[in-house]
Amino acid sequence: MGQAGRAIDDRYWRLAFVAITAVSLGACSSQQSALHPAGEQARDVADLFWFMTISGALVWCIVMGTAIYAVLGKKRPRSERFADRFVLIGGVVFPTVGLAALLVYGLSMLPSWTETEAPDLRIHVVAEQFWWRMAYEGADGVRIDTANELHLPLNATAEFVLTSTDVIHSFWIPSLGGKMDAIPGRTNVLRLTSSKAGVYRGVCAEFCGPSHALMAFPVVVHEADDFASWLEQQRRPAAASTGAGAEAFRAAGCGACHTVRGVSEAGSVGPDLTHFGSRRTLGAGTLPLTAAHLADWLVAPEHIKPGVRMPSFATLPDAERDAIVQFLLELK
Ligand code: CUA
């Protein structure tokens, strides 16, 4: 290979290194990171990760050190007794004790099968292609429907009751704990205890179709008082129920799929939009919620989220579409 060829080769490798580093560091944002725990169960996961990684690295160093010594070390005769002992300790005792210790430590992290304490709150989550139906169980047993955004009180244990209506999804908030599958015809239960206020990101962790990667949700952990007022606000019917926007919403048939309590309550196919304007994102974590994004979404939802069941409203006159956008954004 000539000098020029080698220079191009070098540049190629440098570029590849930068790209791989950037991609892996990009995954280190603390909004969605199992290594920046903001909950008790996530702390266990992070501890387990570091313990296993460091232990594995130690074993690797010992094995490589021995191998290098065997190849490069000074050759001198050893007694048969020494050789037997070396094999017995290094090959039998060390792996047995080491692996057993790692196994016991790992198993000690398994959640208890017999949970007796009641959780601080219970949230029913139904995963669908490609969004999350969420319902908070009130103290009076009444469910408060919402979608695609979780709010949790700080230092409290939430119990998630998970299922799915179509295919297998998986509910995962890396900053708060491990994941749990949402399976059609089955109910799984996951408990997570928050320990740090902030905004995190939950995702679907099981491939479920073309928009699997666009099935996320913001998770807001706030002080108990702030959470209580958020929940109280979610319990109320829609902020605006009359006006041109509400009329356009009804006339366009949006209510056939979406419920806006106080405006149109028959829709159960798509997400509940009663307090849609208070959410941070559009399309289950796909885009930040802005008027421009919402207008684009109404025109071509399929372009933003492949496989979405929502039809296009491109044929709607601009004025009506704008009125619907305004109406939805005002649903705080
Ligand atoms: Cu739902 Cu992946």
Side-chain angles (χ1 to χ4, degrees):
M1 197 194 298
Q3 208 111 51
R6 215 170 293 141
I8 290 171
D9 231 36
D10 272 3
R11 208 163 32 172
Y12 170 78
W13 282 113
R14 238 175 280 156
L15 262 177
F17 176 75
V18 170
I20 290 169
T21 312
V23 167
S24 26
L25 288 181
C28 293
S29 128
S30 56
Q31 273 214 348
Q32 185 192 325
S33 167
L35 299 182
H36 292 89
E40 275 174 25
Q41 292 78 4
R43 162 66 53 201
D44 285 350
V45 171
D47 286 350
L48 185 65
F49 171 81
W50 287 116
F51 185 77
M52 289 294 181
T53 305
I54 293 168
S55 305
L58 269 177
V59 171
W60 186 84
C61 289
I62 292 170
V63 171
M64 292 315 287
T66 314
I68 291 168
Y69 178 75
V71 174
L72 303 176
K74 220 190 268 165
K75 309 277 182 295
R76 53 193 162 114
R78 307 270 190 195
S79 70
E80 205 167 303
R81 195 150 154 253
F82 174 85
D84 285 350
R85 275 199 187 164
F86 186 77
V87 169
L88 191 72
I89 293 173
V92 180
V93 178
F94 175 66
T96 308
V97 173
L99 291 179
L102 292 182
L103 180 71
V104 168
Y105 179 70
L107 291 180
S108 73
M109 301 239 161
L110 284 180
S112 155
W113 286 105
T114 49
E115 203 67 71
T116 47
E117 258 181 58
D120 297 304
L121 79 158
R122 190 173 281 121
I123 303 165
H124 298 262
V125 177
V126 183
E128 301 189 23
Q129 285 172 319
F130 300 92
W131 62 284
W132 306 89
R133 198 184 287 275
M134 294 161 170
Y136 285 74
E137 199 178 287
D140 47 6
V142 175
R143 290 193 188 186
I144 302 165
D145 288 331
T146 174
N148 300 331
E149 184 165 305
L150 264 183
H151 287 250
L152 298 171
L154 183 58
N155 297 324
T157 298
E159 183 174 272
F160 297 93
V161 183
L162 301 157
T163 190
S164 160
T165 53
D166 37 47
V167 299
I168 300 177
H169 304 264
S170 187
F171 177 89
W172 190 26
I173 310 168
S175 305
L176 295 189
K179 56 192 164 189
M180 178 67 81
D181 280 358
I183 302 171
R186 209 194 128 91
T187 303
N188 282 342
V189 172
L190 174 71
R191 286 187 176 205
L192 297 174
T193 310
S194 61
S195 62
K196 199 165 132 199
V199 180
Y200 308 102
R201 189 168 185 268
V203 289
C204 178
E206 179 78 38
F207 180 73
C208 54
S211 281
H212 155 68
L214 301 174
M215 187 172 167
F217 54 95
V219 181
V220 187
V221 175
H222 25 199
E223 298 292 342
D225 289 352
D226 293 343
F227 171 75
S229 44
W230 174 84
L231 194 61
E232 193 43 48
Q233 171 230 350
Q234 296 290 311
R235 191 190 289 269
R236 287 189 218 125
S241 58
T242 52
E247 277 317 310
F249 181 87
R250 286 194 196 97
C254 306
C257 295
H258 298 282
T259 281
V260 176
R261 272 175 280 132
V263 176
S264 169
E265 309 203 352
S268 61
V269 177
D272 183 295
L273 300 180
T274 307
H275 296 283
F276 176 75
S278 72
R279 295 179 197 154
R280 288 166 162 72
T281 66
L282 167 69
T286 304
L287 289 171
L289 181 57
T290 63
H293 287 155
L294 187 50
D296 290 346
W297 175 268
L298 292 178
V299 170
E302 174 72 25
H303 286 184
I304 297 173
K305 196 164 188 171
V308 70
R309 290 170 75 186
M310 167 137 168
S312 159
F313 284 82
T315 53
L316 220 56
D318 285 355
E320 269 175 51
R321 203 166 44 239
D322 290 347
I324 294 176
V325 167
Q326 273 320 309
F327 165 69
L328 289 174
L329 291 178
E330 278 162 20
L331 296 176
K332 300 278 185 193

